[in-house]
Amino acid sequence: MSIWEYANPKKFLRSTERVLPPLWLGSAVLITGGLIWGFFFTPDDYRQGATVKIIYLHVPSALMAINAWFMMLVASLIWVIRRHHVSALAARAAAPVGLVMTLIALLTGAIWGQPMWGTWWAWDPRLTSFLVLFLFYLGYIALWQAIDDPDTAADLTSILCLVGSVFAVLSRYAVNFWNQGLHQGASLSLDKEENVADVFAYPLYVCMAGFILLFIVLVLYRTGTEIRARRMSALLARERMSE
Amino acid sequence: MMPDLGKYGDTVLSAYGVSLLLLLVLLVLTLRRGAKVRAALRDVEHRVGRNG
Amino acid sequence: MIALLIRDLQLAFRAGGGFGLGLAFFLIVTVMVPFAVGPDAAGLAVIAPGVLWLGALLACLLSLDRLLSLDWEDGSLDLLATAPLPLEGVLSIKALAHWLTTGLPLVLAAPVLGVLLHLPAAGYIWIMVSLLIGTPALSVIGTFGAALTVGLKRGGLLLSLLVMPLYVPTLIFGAEAARRGALGLAGETPLLMLAGITLGTIALLPFASAAVLRVNLR
Amino acid sequence: MIALLIRDLQLAFRAGGGFGLGLAFFLIVTVMVPFAVGPDAAGLAVIAPGVLWLGALLACLLSLDRLLSLDWEDGSLDLLATAPLPLEGVLSIKALAHWLTTGLPLVLAAPVLGVLLHLPAAGYIWIMVSLLIGTPALSVIGTFGAALTVGLKRGGLLLSLLVMPLYVPTLIFGAEAARRGALGLAGETPLLMLAGITLGTIALLPFASAAVLRVNLR
Amino acid sequence: MIEVRDLGVSRGAVPVLRGVGFSVSAGEALILQGPNGSGKTTLLRTLAGLQPPLCGEIRGDPEDCAYAAHADGVKLTLTVAENLEFWARVFGVTGIARALTGFDLEALQDRVAGGLSAGQRRRLSLARLMVTGRRLWILDEPTVSLDAASVQLFASAVRAHLRGGGAAIMATHIDLGIEGRVLDLAPFKARLSQSDADDGGFL
Amino acid sequence: MIEVRDLGVSRGAVPVLRGVGFSVSAGEALILQGPNGSGKTTLLRTLAGLQPPLCGEIRGDPEDCAYAAHADGVKLTLTVAENLEFWARVFGVTGIARALTGFDLEALQDRVAGGLSAGQRRRLSLARLMVTGRRLWILDEPTVSLDAASVQLFASAVRAHLRGGGAAIMATHIDLGIEGRVLDLAPFKARLSQSDADDGGFL
Ligand code: HEM
Ligand SMILES: Nc1ncnc2c1ncn2[C@@H]1O[C@H](COP(=O)(O)OP(=O)(O)OP(=O)(O)O)[C@@H](O)[C@H]1O
Ligand SMILES: Nc1ncnc2c1ncn2[C@@H]1O[C@H](COP(=O)(O)OP(=O)(O)OP(=O)(O)O)[C@@H](O)[C@H]1O
Ligand SMILES: [Mg+2]
Ligand SMILES: [Mg+2]
């Protein structure tokens, strides 16, 4: 059976109806489990103290913030090429989730930065490109909301997503260039791998899995909602015609 | 039960608070809109089914 | 009268009504400043109050375009002018609706953006208070500008040009109060001046706006 | 094709056409900056290149609103779409006309405004060159944004919101080149990057703009 | 209800009509005709109080006029009912039911006005007249883009208004099926001005 | 010149017409009629190639159509002659004199279009058709706000176009005085959809 069959709205609704409950359960278990593990049962880091516990929210949300955009990009491509309505609606459904993930990453990062760097915010390339990503989400959502006709909105937003992705990558390089240019904030750069010892890593993996699952569940559920809304307006239109 | 967060208690707790709050808001909005649309669709389907 | 306020708010919140866009513009302008002037934190802190005020002013300015032109284009303004409401009242209500949908959100967002610009801790309360007192004047003055340019197609840029000089006193006193506050100095005097400007414009400018609009409607 | 360019320029120079408004906006924003951030000359000199770039960007942004909407409102765009011109060509020409009437004057005016902001002597040539290379990209990207929002009533603010994030790379490289130049450092690398962005957008973006406009016209 | 004597009107500082005179009393309809550019729109705007007359006088209460211009004055993001309710509240009238039935808009009342066709939108803008409570209707080409059935609706709405003691002045190029005096504006076209006072003395 | 078979058109994802079929050959005129909201505008936009059809086929060269919409497409700050010249150059036609005489615009040719009355502006937008050199005219309510004399001008312009081997499809509510086949769109109204394919399977 081809995956494209799920592009049929009814089929999509029927199959998600079945898989959603276990997914809800799974994401809830993983997230609460991971967070409890991380919050209660891991030691403090020798340098960062208790603040290291923030990592269990910060990293998974940052991960999903980027991947949500990536998913929207793929869905937009599918809409542009094959015009499956469900994929356009899925892109629409994912955007607010991605926005919230970005916001969580930004806020937890800012809160973390206060004790670690002594400032809420620095124009570090990584942080800055996250802010730019946030702006892209805002624009994308605003465009969906501004247009009444669903197909027109799907076409326009998907092209915006494609063009925006190119510019987002460009911005990433530009920002890198910009802040290294004056050699500022180098001491603030995020040190990868080094800090993350195994004790912290395992609960982190659980949380990451939980966030991924949560994203999937939310997008499936919200796509279902969008499909129902479309179906409703289609039915209403048909009712109008038969009058 | 509560682990000792040391001098970073406020920091960690506020980070958890903000994140969970945002997740909760997203969840509530999603579910509420879902329920609303579902109910509205059921109404419309019912009506359309009756009329034609 | 209250019906008009309700309708304007309703229109703003409907799809395409533009609520939140002013806020987003404010955010983006603020974010772009470091891209333009460089990421140095100390340097940003110095200009932060000024940038926030300028950003708020531009966000207000750009939303003025919709204030009367939409009603003009679809003919509602002609109909409102022949309705049993004084034109001064209509314009005051429109300014109020504009402030509620644009100015007030800016006031609330300013501290968040202050963080991005490394605004000194002492400055937060001052920037909020000065914006709270100053933005109503921006809406009222803007309504005057909108009434002046209402007959022109896509007069947005011209409107900006006309209104910006009128915004200068508000900007000076507002930014001065915020700047002094951020430096830990006393900012009461400019704040008082600002309040004076706001009260004065609210009391008097609607009459000028109505007069101008009457001319434009003929 | 050339007829369209001539008509667009003609329209811009006629009364109410908006030529010079972008320039005036640039002027006023620049003049307001000292009011907002304080008149200290040394401080202004540091931010001068950034302010000039930001001002130019905003002036471009605000004039985008007129780029397609006027033609859309009076129905000309429908007629142009059924005329024997490829839509990509029409949009490229419109971007060119926009650059000639908005971008180019900004380039010429920048040094004059540099004086007001105490721009260091070394910076003049750099700000002009970087604007000359960068503003075409602003016009082309802006045309894409205008095509996206053409069907919306008074979509100016939404247009800004959509276009500003796309302007980020151009702004960063442009302002960086100008800033380095003003400090007497070598600004060739960002300038090259800027040129790359400009060429890339000119070559590719009109296709996206045309696709989007076709969707909006149906 | 309204009496006009020796009225002159101008558009963009150019005199368009001169010496227009008529009177309309309760229960009467006046139909303005004239070729394109003869000044119908300009005259109606003057009567509605939107622009001052060039000379002459208008006797009548501008507070008693309801004006329907060429543009619809319909908010595209509000529904049909919301649009009418707003105007009803502005004019202090209660109940939009009569207006909805009068122009056969009940079926459309919950639709957003942006989704109406040209003619449906025009019906909405005419229905607005019925919630103004004003006695004198001033209408500029009211039946543009209406189909035959809708023109009939409009005609009967006007007739009901006249029977109820109202009056109407309307400009049109086509036959509306409403009985009323016809005033052709062609003879009143402003020619070379006789007096110097017209253009601030520049002539 | 154009042949349409089993055409369905939609507006905002809602099917409006279905099963429309006709053909128009050189020298013929087709007049579309139908009540408000029946889909005339939508059909004409589809024929002009501005929106894709929902189903069915259109045989004919979209490069051979000239479309005149409800909006005038007139630049208000250019003069009448400049407006026409622009379109003539876009369509690669030389000479606007015939268009000016055809719609009696010579006297107005140096006036700025913003200073024209509604009907004069309409005449200008119709004159544009004569400088396109296209053979099939697609006209949406062409005579809105024209007076009787201008309607005659328009009718004779269309007749001359037909005699010259052209064709025309127009939507209207009133009698244009042009002989041509009349097609009433009411019977083609899209009803309950039979297939699921309509709305991407949402029904
Ligand atoms: C507002 C500020 C911040 C933002 C926007 C931000 C953003 C990000 C992003 C985008 C990632 C990459 C996630 C991934 O690769 O999947 C990340 C990872 C990380 N961040 Fe932050 N961050 C911020 C502040 C901080 C602070 C203050 C710290 C701690 C001192 C921190 C520590 C980390 C760590 C340890 C990682 C994991 C790196 C890895 O192994 O991938 N972040 N953050
Ligand atoms: N904006 C304007 N500025 C200057 N003159 C104008 C303007 N609009 C119209 N005119 C001129 O004023 C005269 C009267 O115009 P008006 O719109 O009142 O005519 P009308 O009788 O309503 O015509 P129509 O039947 O075509 O609508 C016309 O000769 C016209 O050229
Ligand atoms: N923007 C829109 N979005 C959704 N539906 C629309 C829109 N505009 C029109 N419609 C609907 O599409 C149908 C066809 O409209 P269309 O404009 O083609 O009708 P028409 O025959 O031209 O009518 P009229 O004579 O009133 O101009 C109408 O029922 C209308 O309600
Ligand atoms: Mg008229
Ligand atoms: Mg129509």
Side-chain angles (χ1 to χ4, degrees):
Chain A
M1 186 173 80
S2 142
I3 186 174
W4 299 118
E5 287 189 20
Y6 292 98
N8 178 300
K10 270 188 203 134
K11 176 120 194 180
F12 179 90
L13 283 184
R14 242 182 288 121
S15 16
T16 51
E17 208 83 313
R18 256 185 287 117
V19 301
L20 268 178
L23 285 181
W24 277 117
L25 192 69
S27 69
V29 166
L30 283 174
I31 288 183
T32 42
L35 286 183
I36 287 175
W37 185 357
F39 190 81
F40 293 103
F41 303 111
T42 54
D44 287 355
D45 184 71
Y46 69 102
R47 263 193 336 200
Q48 310 194 13
T51 58
V52 72
K53 296 186 193 305
I54 297 176
I55 205 172
Y56 307 115
L57 291 165
H58 179 72
V59 172
S61 56
L63 181 79
M64 288 329 293
I66 296 169
N67 284 314
W69 184 271
F70 190 66
M71 181 233 128
M72 282 156 54
L73 175 62
V74 173
S76 300
L77 268 175
I78 295 178
W79 165 253
V80 168
I81 296 169
R82 300 196 54 146
R83 297 194 85 72
H84 288 309
H85 285 83
V86 174
S87 75
L89 293 180
R92 174 179 196 172
V97 183
L99 184 80
V100 170
M101 291 297 173
T102 317
L103 205 55
I104 292 178
L106 282 171
L107 288 176
T108 52
I111 292 172
W112 201 351
Q114 173 59 19
M116 286 302 104
W117 304 340
T119 173
W120 298 97
W121 179 261
W123 291 94
D124 173 272
R126 181 132 52 148
L127 314 198
T128 307
S129 36
F130 245 60
L131 201 55
V132 174
L133 183 64
F134 184 72
L135 298 181
F136 274 110
Y137 274 120
L138 278 187
Y140 181 86
I141 294 172
L143 188 59
W144 262 113
Q145 249 149 27
I147 302 169
D148 300 325
D149 179 50
D151 277 359
T152 307
D155 281 323
L156 298 183
T157 52
S158 55
I159 298 180
L160 176 68
C161 184
L162 299 182
V163 173
S165 302
V166 175
F167 278 86
V169 172
L170 274 178
S171 306
R172 176 70 228 231
Y173 284 110
V175 162
N176 243 332
F177 181 85
W178 162 71
N179 207 358
Q180 279 172 5
L182 288 183
H183 295 287
Q184 299 235 338
S187 60
L188 305 181
S189 70
L190 304 179
D191 204 5
K192 280 194 122 186
E193 312 306 343
E194 215 173 89
N195 296 338
V196 188
D198 281 356
V199 236
F200 306 120
Y202 292 127
L204 179 57
Y205 292 148
V206 177
C207 283
M208 276 158 72
F211 267 71
I212 294 175
L213 218 53
L214 178 67
F215 174 75
I216 294 174
V217 183
L218 280 174
V219 170
L220 289 181
Y221 184 86
R222 294 174 63 97
T223 310
T225 306
E226 298 292 344
I227 291 176
R228 291 196 178 88
R230 264 305 279 282
R231 176 171 160 75
M232 189 166 68
S233 58
L235 282 174
L236 284 176
R238 196 167 76 157
E239 197 183 29
R240 277 211 306 260
M241 272 186 304
S242 59
E243 268 160 12
Chain B
M1 186 61 223
M2 193 66 189
D4 177 26
L5 297 174
K7 59 179 173 170
Y8 297 130
D10 291 353
T11 307
V12 176
L13 289 181
S14 61
Y16 272 73
V18 166
S19 311
L20 296 181
L21 184 75
L22 277 175
L23 281 182
L24 207 69
V25 168
L26 176 65
L27 211 60
V28 167
L29 288 182
T30 300
L31 292 177
R32 211 179 57 185
R33 172 140 195 275
K36 236 187 231 163
V37 169
R38 212 181 269 257
L41 178 62
R42 201 169 317 121
D43 275 3
V44 172
E45 269 172 345
H46 189 70
R47 207 172 59 216
V48 172
R50 219 180 33 225
N51 296 350
Chain C
M1 217 70 147
I2 193 80
L4 182 61
L5 181 63
I6 291 172
R7 183 197 70 152
D8 271 13
L9 294 179
Q10 234 174 9
L11 284 174
F13 287 110
R14 284 288 153 90
F19 177 78
L21 288 181
L23 205 55
F25 185 86
F26 187 32
L27 171 69
I28 299 193
V29 167
T30 319
V31 170
M32 289 189 114
V33 167
F35 292 147
V37 304
D40 164 43
L44 285 176
V46 174
I47 60 171
V51 169
L52 289 177
W53 251 95
L54 207 56
L57 189 146
L58 287 175
C60 257
L61 198 64
L62 294 189
S63 50
L64 290 179
D65 187 27
R66 311 173 63 101
L67 190 74
L68 294 176
S69 305
L70 287 176
D71 278 341
W72 160 272
E73 278 165 14
D74 65 14
S76 306
L77 210 53
D78 276 351
L79 303 180
L80 275 175
T82 55
L85 301 174
L87 211 50
E88 289 80 6
V90 168
L91 289 171
S92 302
I93 291 289
K94 290 216 152 259
L96 176 61
H98 178 258
W99 184 73
L100 288 176
T101 53
T102 313
L104 194 57
L106 294 181
V107 177
L108 302 176
V112 180
L113 297 181
V115 173
L116 293 182
L117 295 175
H118 303 285
L119 184 71
Y124 287 90
I125 180 76
W126 284 99
I127 189 85
M128 282 191 76
V129 171
S130 66
L131 280 176
L132 189 66
I133 296 181
T135 42
L138 298 185
S139 291
V140 175
I141 298 174
T143 309
F144 174 67
L148 266 178
T149 55
V150 74
L152 307 171
K153 282 239 152 196
R154 300 267 147 193
L157 211 46
L158 180 61
L159 171 59
S160 307
L161 286 185
L162 292 176
V163 169
M164 289 245 258
L166 303 180
Y167 276 177
V168 168
T170 314
L171 174 67
I172 290 182
F173 288 120
E176 182 71 19
R179 204 158 68 236
R180 290 200 188 172
L183 294 174
L185 306 173
E188 281 81 10
T189 325
L191 216 53
L192 272 181
M193 303 284 221
L194 189 63
I197 291 180
T198 302
L199 292 179
T201 50
I202 291 179
L204 299 178
L205 217 49
F207 296 96
S209 314
V212 160
L213 187 57
R214 273 198 203 95
V215 171
N216 261 332
L217 285 180
R218 316 204 261 255
Chain D
M1 216 72 145
I2 193 80
L4 182 61
L5 180 63
I6 292 172
R7 185 197 70 151
D8 271 13
L9 294 179
Q10 236 175 8
L11 284 173
F13 289 110
R14 287 286 154 91
F19 178 77
L21 287 182
L23 202 57
F25 184 86
F26 186 35
L27 175 71
I28 297 194
V29 166
T30 320
V31 170
M32 285 182 109
V33 167
F35 290 136
V37 305
D40 163 44
L44 283 178
V46 174
I47 60 172
V51 169
L52 289 177
W53 251 94
L54 207 57
L57 190 146
L58 287 175
C60 258
L61 196 67
L62 295 189
S63 49
L64 290 179
D65 188 27
R66 311 173 61 101
L67 190 74
L68 294 176
S69 305
L70 288 176
D71 277 342
W72 162 270
E73 279 164 12
D74 64 14
S76 308
L77 211 52
D78 277 350
L79 303 180
L80 275 175
T82 54
L85 301 176
L87 211 49
E88 288 81 6
V90 169
L91 288 170
S92 301
I93 290 290
K94 289 217 152 258
L96 176 61
H98 179 256
W99 183 71
L100 287 176
T101 53
T102 313
L104 195 57
L106 295 181
V107 177
L108 302 176
V112 180
L113 295 179
V115 175
L116 293 182
L117 295 175
H118 305 284
L119 184 72
Y124 286 90
I125 179 75
W126 284 98
I127 189 87
M128 282 191 75
V129 171
S130 67
L131 280 176
L132 189 66
I133 297 181
T135 43
L138 299 185
S139 291
V140 176
I141 299 173
T143 308
F144 174 67
L148 267 179
T149 54
V150 73
L152 305 171
K153 283 241 152 198
R154 301 265 146 194
L157 218 41
L158 178 63
L159 172 60
S160 310
L161 178 58
L162 294 177
V163 167
M164 291 252 253
L166 303 181
Y167 276 177
V168 167
T170 314
L171 172 64
I172 288 183
F173 287 124
E176 181 74 20
R179 204 161 67 240
R180 289 196 185 177
L183 292 174
L185 307 173
E188 281 81 10
T189 325
L191 217 52
L192 272 180
M193 304 280 216
L194 188 64
I197 291 180
T198 302
L199 291 179
T201 50
I202 291 179
L204 299 177
L205 217 49
F207 295 97
S209 313
V212 158
L213 187 57
R214 269 194 208 98
V215 171
N216 262 329
L217 284 179
R218 29 169 224 250
Chain E
M1 183 154 311
I2 192 167
E3 195 182 336
V4 165
R5 244 190 281 161
D6 202 28
L7 183 71
V9 299
S10 66
R11 180 77 178 257
V14 182
V16 173
L17 292 172
R18 203 184 287 277
V20 182
F22 58 79
S23 82
V24 179
S25 46
E28 275 188 342
L30 179 72
I31 295 168
L32 300 180
Q33 291 195 327
N36 288 142
S38 58
K40 299 178 293 299
T41 301
T42 317
L43 176 59
L44 290 178
R45 287 180 65 86
T46 311
L47 294 179
L50 285 166
Q51 60 178 73
L54 188 66
C55 56
E57 63 175 331
I58 304 174
R59 283 215 198 131
D61 184 7
E63 287 291 283
D64 211 18
C65 299
Y67 174 61
H70 206 94
D72 292 329
V74 163
K75 284 290 161 197
L76 302 184
T77 50
L78 298 182
T79 64
V80 170
E82 281 169 343
N83 265 300
L84 282 177
E85 258 154 23
F86 165 67
W87 288 111
R89 291 185 62 185
V90 164
F91 283 91
V93 171
T94 49
I96 58 164
R98 217 168 52 91
L100 285 174
T101 22
F103 284 91
D104 193 19
L105 290 167
E106 286 123 327
L108 302 171
Q109 68 172 303
D110 292 323
R111 279 195 36 202
V112 170
L116 302 179
S117 81
Q120 292 163 340
R121 210 174 288 169
R122 191 81 198 159
R123 289 216 301 267
L124 171 55
S125 99
L126 291 173
R128 191 189 65 90
L129 291 169
M130 297 182 67
V131 300
T132 58
R134 295 286 174 87
R135 292 195 308 151
L136 177 60
W137 289 0
I138 296 184
L139 312 174
D140 198 356
E141 304 201 31
T143 58
V144 161
S145 48
L146 289 186
D147 59 16
S150 307
V151 171
Q152 280 316 312
L153 279 179
F154 167 71
S156 48
V158 172
R159 270 188 227 108
H161 177 66
L162 297 181
R163 268 198 309 278
I169 302 180
M170 46 198 133
T172 182
H173 290 298
I174 58 173
D175 183 26
L176 300 176
I178 294 172
E179 17 327 283
R181 242 174 328 133
V182 173
L183 181 67
D184 189 350
L185 288 183
F188 301 108
K189 194 171 166 187
R191 314 216 170 260
L192 288 182
S193 62
Q194 296 85 346
S195 79
D196 267 0
D198 268 0
D199 202 16
F202 288 109
L203 286 178
Chain F
M1 183 152 312
I2 194 170
E3 193 183 337
V4 165
R5 243 190 281 160
D6 203 27
L7 184 71
V9 299
S10 66
R11 180 79 179 256
V14 182
V16 174
L17 291 172
R18 204 183 286 275
V20 181
F22 57 80
S23 81
V24 179
S25 45
E28 276 188 340
L30 179 72
I31 295 168
L32 300 179
Q33 291 197 326
N36 288 142
S38 58
K40 299 177 295 298
T41 300
T42 315
L43 177 59
L44 291 178
R45 287 181 66 86
T46 311
L47 294 180
L50 284 166
Q51 61 177 67
L54 188 67
C55 56
E57 62 175 331
I58 304 175
R59 284 215 197 130
D61 185 8
E63 287 289 282
D64 211 21
C65 300
Y67 173 61
H70 206 94
D72 292 328
V74 163
K75 284 292 162 196
L76 302 185
T77 51
L78 298 182
T79 65
V80 170
E82 281 168 343
N83 265 299
L84 282 178
E85 258 154 23
F86 165 65
W87 288 111
R89 292 186 60 184
V90 164
F91 282 90
V93 172
T94 48
I96 59 165
R98 217 168 51 93
L100 285 174
T101 22
F103 284 92
D104 194 19
L105 289 168
E106 286 124 326
L108 301 172
Q109 69 171 303
D110 293 323
R111 291 257 299 267
V112 168
L116 301 178
S117 80
Q120 291 162 341
R121 211 174 289 170
R122 191 79 200 160
R123 288 215 302 268
L124 170 55
S125 99
L126 292 173
R128 191 187 67 88
L129 291 169
M130 297 182 66
V131 300
T132 58
R134 296 285 175 88
R135 291 195 308 151
L136 177 60
W137 289 0
I138 296 184
L139 312 175
D140 199 356
E141 305 202 29
T143 57
V144 160
S145 45
L146 290 185
D147 58 17
S150 308
V151 171
Q152 279 319 311
L153 279 179
F154 167 71
S156 48
V158 171
R159 272 188 226 110
H161 177 65
L162 297 181
R163 267 198 310 278
I169 301 179
M170 46 199 132
T172 182
H173 290 298
I174 58 172
D175 183 27
L176 299 177
I178 294 174
E179 20 323 290
R181 240 174 330 131
V182 172
L183 180 69
D184 189 351
L185 289 183
F188 300 108
K189 191 172 167 187
R191 305 207 180 267
L192 289 183
S193 59
Q194 296 86 346
S195 78
D196 266 359
D198 267 359
D199 200 17
F202 287 104
L203 283 178

